[in-house]
Every structure is written in structure tokens, then in C-alpha cells.
Amino acid sequence: MEIVIKTLEYLDNLRLYPKIKTVSSPPKPVVRIDGRNLHMFCSNNYLNLATHPRVIKSNVEGTKNFGTGAGGSRLISGSTDLHKELEKVISELKNCEDSLVFSSGYLANLGVISAMAAPARSVAKELTMNMLYSLKNETVIFNDELNHASIIDACKIANVAHIRYKHVDMNDLREKLKKNRNKRKIIISDGVFSMDGNIAPLPEIVALAEEFQAITIIDDAHATGILGENGRGTAEYFNLKGKVDLEMGTLNKVFAGVGGFVSGNTDLCRFLRVASRSYIFSAAMPPGVASGLITAIKIFREEPGLRNRLLKNVEYFQSGLKKIGIHVKYYPTPIIPIIIGDESIAMSIAEELFKKGFFIPAIRWPAVPKGKARLRITVMTEHTTEQIDGLITELEELLEKYGVKNNPVHLKTLITHNV
């Protein structure tokens, strides 16, 4: 217990313990917190589908018809018509043969990555000890150093060797693949990196995977519904559909529900249904949620204007930042980080923004490395140009006030961070 108290004291002394704000309204561009209306620029509800009337109606009807919970795991009693339909709709969206739905994106990564790392161990331990020994010692996971925490944790519990390569550094990845040429290899990367908004260099990853005969897994949590002509994600964005073995994703961002999924060919998905422990031993997502997600995906495909308006807001915000001297590299993703660097300054700026009516919590260690604290700003389809202009005005004033805007060190970080 003493170590717990000391840890809390350490976090409190350095202002690292998060002050969680309680939101008393839906995740719209304006939210209610502590009796005040604030402009929210930190939500993953990118297309504002969480409050779409058809999505809400579908969620309610699904709950009325199937109850508030599934009543079991997918392999026992938890697979309903709605879960199967959701998997079908996701497969059509991703243009893949099959898909599995998990209760969360975190569980999807834990289950899929650990199962793919040691497939025999997952299903037939007592029959294949020699194969198990070989897999444990011969499988190596190659993991971008800025991948999401769920990927990092999945690599740890997979109980095989995992090597972190420098962020989007394909030369580093190549050298590490070369050193493990004779091993069974799996390359894992975010499609869009959650704290930076930049896009993985998928063409180079696929080329290296083909050269070194590696399995590829891409986490499209922030790319599905955003990237590609039809919103199918990173592979479509680079015209590489069919070249990635497994495409992961979450259902709580663009599609505004909760859950995770994996899409791939029929054999891989059939295997994962009996090998992913987080799929086997977790209760299925509530049927009402599945119903709402089905409708959200249908709306997304029917109304491409939603995504087009989002990307226009992204461009508008980026151009506004450039006008005040913050030159972040443009990516067609709604995540726009402004690197402050110092944790205390980042906290102070976030607190002042809150007082001025803008809700953007500071992101700091351990979510990002020490010395790289930031404002992780996200825009939504329903943000107005007036709201964006208002935020840019406040940012310019606060960055100047705290010496960030004119500080050469911080300015260099701002300019080069996503290059």
C-alpha cells in the first residue's frame, strides 16, 4: 500500500494526475460541464453520429427487442442476429471476406495479436508442444514505437519476442527484419497514430513484409471512416486493399458506439473465433449498441458529405494555424496536435482554455513521452468556422503569453513534429 500512496504523491506533486471533467450532455461541438457551455475540441465523435436521430432510434429499438445485455460470450449465448449483421456490414465496408466484433478495440488488439503470435498455443496446447516451443522462440513482432497502448500491451502478453522500431522509420524496420530473417515475423502498425494524426507509410511496410515474408496487421482505429475514397481505411488510401493480412479497428470513433473489430480473409477470421481469448471469454457487446452501429455505418455510406465536411474543417483549422505561425504538416485526419513540450505549461494552457470556454485537456506523460506534452485537438463535422476561428484566436494569445509561440525550441517542435 505504501508504494500506491507514494505513486499518487508523485503524480500530484508534478500535476500529472488527471482532473477528469464530468460532461453532462451529448458529445457535440458544445457540451455542458460544471453548469457551463464549452466548445469541445477533444472528442473522437468525428462525424457526430453519436447524436444522429436514426442511430439513437436504432439503438433504442435494438435494446427493446433484445434486452440491455447479450447474456453471454459470443461462443455460448451472446451471438445475436444483430452481431452477425454488424459483422457482415463491417466486412462490406472494409471490402474483406469476414470480420469479428469484440466488446472493445482494446480487447480486439489483445485477442488478435496474441492469437496470431502463437496460434497453436491458443487452441491445442497439449497436442503440439514441439510446435509451441518453436513458435515461442521463432516468432518476432515488429511494433512501431508510437503504436497505441493496446498494441504494446498485446505484444507483451503474446509471450514472444517483440521489437519496437523507430516511429515510421522504414530503414530501422528493414535492419531489424534483416537481423531476424529466419524468424516468423509479424509487423504491426497504427494506420493513423492516435496522438499525432500522421499516417503510417503503408506502401513501404507492405513492400518490406513481402520481401521478408512477414504477416501485416494494421490498426485502423482512427483511419476507418476517414481515409480512402470510400472510407475503408489506410489500405484503401494507399490503394493496397488485399495486401494487408488483418485490419483492426474501433467502433467508438467515426461510428460513435463502442466495440472493436478485425477484418480479413475467411480462414484467418475462422481461426480467430476459436483462438482469441478476449473474444471467447468476454461478454458480447450489448445488442442495442450493435443495432446502432449497423445504422451508423449505413448512414456513413449513404451520406459521404459527412466526411467531406469533416475534412474541410480539418483543412480550415490547419490553414488557420499557419496564419498564426503554427505550421503543422497537413494530414487528412481530424487529429491535430500542438506540441507544447513542458508538462506544466501544457496544463496551464489547457486550464486557461477551459476558463475561456474551450474543452481541450492537455495530454502528457505517460500518454506521451516526457517533454512532449501537447494539446491534442480534434475537429468534428458539426464544428462551425466561427468556433474554429475562436479557438485559433485563443491559441495565438495563450501560446504568446506562455512563451511557446516565439520560443525557437518549441516553434521548431511545432513545425517539424509530423514531418
Side-chain angles (χ1 to χ4, degrees):
M1 193 64 185
E2 182 181 358
I3 190 64
V4 172
I5 300 301
K6 286 187 178 296
T7 300
L8 289 172
E9 289 175 351
Y10 172 80
L11 294 172
D12 289 336
N13 290 337
L14 294 179
R15 299 176 68 196
L16 292 174
Y17 195 89
K19 295 179 181 178
I20 300 174
K21 306 293 186 184
T22 302
V23 180
S24 305
S25 62
K28 290 186 172 185
V30 176
V31 293
R32 193 82 173 160
I33 301 175
D34 298 335
R36 297 172 57 214
N37 288 335
L38 291 103
H39 301 290
M40 181 159 70
F41 281 89
C42 58
S43 175
N44 292 331
N45 180 27
Y46 299 137
L47 301 188
N48 295 106
L49 289 174
T51 53
H52 195 292
R54 282 176 58 192
V55 176
I56 294 172
K57 180 181 178 182
S58 181
N59 196 311
V60 170
E61 288 179 351
T63 301
K64 284 182 178 178
N65 293 333
F66 286 85
T68 59
S73 67
R74 293 294 304 278
L75 294 193
I76 299 179
S77 61
S79 280
T80 67
D81 296 340
L82 294 172
H83 293 95
K84 297 302 292 182
E85 184 180 354
L86 176 58
E87 289 174 339
K88 180 176 180 291
V89 168
I90 291 172
S91 297
E92 291 171 351
L93 170 69
K94 296 294 286 186
N95 195 24
C96 291
E97 292 178 3
D98 200 2
S99 299
L100 280 73
V101 168
F102 292 73
S103 300
S104 75
Y106 200 101
L107 290 176
N109 274 337
L110 291 185
V112 171
I113 292 170
S114 60
M116 290 300 295
R121 182 193 311 138
S122 303
V123 292
K125 182 175 181 179
E126 54 284 292
L127 298 179
T128 57
M129 291 304 295
N130 290 336
M131 185 176 180
L132 281 170
Y133 181 81
S134 174
L135 281 169
K136 180 178 178 180
N137 287 277
E138 296 301 322
T139 298
V140 181
I141 297 174
F142 298 85
N143 180 20
D144 188 294
E145 65 180 351
L146 293 190
N147 277 344
H148 189 265
S150 59
I151 298 175
I152 295 168
D153 289 352
C155 292
K156 291 177 181 178
I157 69 169
N159 199 27
V160 299
H162 66 276
I163 296 173
R164 296 176 75 172
Y165 61 90
K166 295 176 184 177
H167 180 50
V168 300
D169 187 331
M170 295 297 98
N171 290 328
D172 190 44
L173 176 57
R174 167 179 282 281
E175 289 304 309
K176 287 169 177 173
L177 286 166
K178 282 172 66 175
K179 291 178 182 178
N180 294 272
R181 186 181 293 274
N182 296 323
K183 302 289 183 78
R184 177 176 176 265
K185 297 169 288 295
I186 302 173
I187 303 172
I188 305 174
S189 176
D190 280 350
V192 172
F193 291 89
S194 62
M195 289 297 157
D196 297 83
N198 60 323
I199 303 170
L202 190 59
E204 291 87 347
I205 290 173
V206 168
L208 287 172
E210 291 177 348
E211 180 181 350
F212 291 96
Q213 297 183 312
I215 296 166
T216 49
I217 301 176
I218 297 297
D219 185 347
D220 263 351
H222 292 274
T224 300
I226 299 294
L227 295 184
E229 183 179 353
N230 301 288
R232 288 176 171 143
T234 313
E236 184 183 52
Y237 179 73
F238 287 108
N239 196 27
L240 290 169
K241 287 299 292 185
K243 296 291 187 178
V244 175
D245 294 299
L246 288 171
E247 298 179 45
M248 317 282 290
T250 54
L251 296 162
N252 66 329
K253 296 178 174 65
V254 165
F255 305 121
V258 67
F261 69 87
V262 60
S263 299
N265 69 41
T266 301
D267 288 337
L268 280 174
C269 290
R270 186 166 177 262
F271 163 74
L272 290 170
R273 283 191 174 88
V274 295
S276 296
R277 291 172 66 83
S278 58
Y279 177 87
I280 298 167
F281 297 107
S282 293
M285 71 165 56
V289 172
S291 181
L293 286 166
I294 292 165
T295 301
I297 294 172
K298 288 179 178 178
I299 292 170
F300 167 78
R301 301 193 73 180
E302 293 166 2
E303 302 181 24
L306 290 172
R307 185 171 59 129
N308 293 337
R309 291 205 302 275
L310 171 69
L311 295 178
K312 284 182 180 178
N313 276 345
V314 171
E315 288 188 51
Y316 186 81
F317 185 58
Q318 294 271 16
S319 65
L321 289 177
K322 289 179 181 178
K323 288 177 183 177
I324 64 169
I326 302 174
H327 299 279
V328 293
K329 185 175 180 179
Y330 173 76
Y331 291 102
T333 70
I335 302 167
I336 303 162
I338 295 182
I339 311 302
I340 305 300
D342 182 271
E343 281 77 11
S344 181
I345 294 176
M347 289 285 292
S348 296
I349 292 175
E351 288 168 3
E352 291 217 35
L353 282 170
F354 189 81
K355 291 176 184 176
K356 292 173 179 288
F358 293 90
F359 182 34
I360 310 169
I363 306 295
R364 65 268 192 207
W365 181 86
V368 295
K370 286 184 178 180
K372 290 194 176 181
R374 67 197 62 190
L375 301 176
R376 177 187 179 273
I377 298 170
T378 56
V379 296
M380 295 185 280
T381 290
E382 292 182 6
H383 275 130
T384 65
T385 55
E386 290 78 14
Q387 288 172 320
I388 295 171
D389 288 340
L391 175 58
I392 290 169
T393 298
E394 297 297 344
L395 283 171
E396 182 176 26
E397 179 183 319
L398 289 170
L399 293 175
E400 183 108 31
K401 175 180 177 180
Y402 283 92
V404 176
K405 184 179 177 184
N406 294 319
N407 184 325
V409 175
H410 291 305
L411 188 58
K412 182 180 179 182
T413 307
L414 288 167
I415 293 173
T416 64
H417 180 67
N418 277 335
V419 176

